[in-house]
Amino acid sequence: AEEERNARYGRKWTDRMRELMKYRDDNGHCNVPNRHSSLGRWVSTQRAEFKNYRAGKDSRMTPPRIKILNHIGFAWDASNKCAAKKNDEGWMRMFEK
C-alpha cells in the first residue's frame, strides 16, 4: 500500500511539474501566485518540503526533484522574483540604460 501511494504521488508530482513548466513558458517565471488555483498551492508546498528537507525533517522532497526544479528556474524563495530567469533580457536592457 505504501509503495502504491508513493508511485501515485510520483505521477502526480510529474503532472504538476509539467503544469509548472507550461506556466513558466507562458509567463517567463515559476513564481505562481498562491491564489492561482492548485498549482500555486503546489509551488508553495514544494518550497515547504524543500525547507523541511534542508532542516533534516520528514519531507517528500528528494535530490532528483531539487535538481529538476533548479533546472527549470524554480525560485525556492518566493520573495526572489528574479530567480526564474537569470539572463532575463528585460532586466539586461534596464541594466544597460
Side-chain angles (χ1 to χ4, degrees):
E2 178 72 18
E3 223 173 90
E4 187 180 315
R5 199 167 37 251
N6 286 340
R8 246 191 345 259
Y9 182 77
R11 280 190 302 275
K12 190 185 278 187
W13 193 91
T14 302
D15 290 345
R16 285 288 189 203
M17 195 54 220
R18 286 190 185 106
E19 205 178 322
L20 178 59
M21 289 171 73
K22 182 183 179 339
Y23 180 92
R24 181 207 56 196
D25 291 347
D26 292 346
N27 297 279
H29 60 81
C30 294
N31 288 315
V32 184
N34 221 350
R35 63 187 180 280
H36 183 278
S37 73
S38 58
L39 182 61
R41 288 188 296 279
W42 182 83
V43 165
S44 293
T45 299
Q46 299 317 296
R47 291 185 179 121
E49 292 289 340
F50 179 69
K51 193 174 181 180
N52 287 340
Y53 175 84
R54 300 247 346 240
K57 297 178 180 174
D58 249 2
S59 172
R60 287 190 161 166
M61 188 52 65
T62 63
R65 288 179 177 175
I66 293 168
K67 188 175 181 179
I68 290 166
L69 287 163
N70 282 336
H71 183 74
I72 68 155
F74 188 81
W76 295 105
D77 178 355
S79 65
N80 184 359
K81 303 293 186 209
C82 297
K85 284 218 169 180
K86 291 176 180 64
N87 298 318
D88 181 62
E89 290 174 13
W91 189 89
M92 291 304 289
R93 279 194 303 274
M94 286 190 314
F95 181 72
E96 290 168 358
K97 287 182 180 176

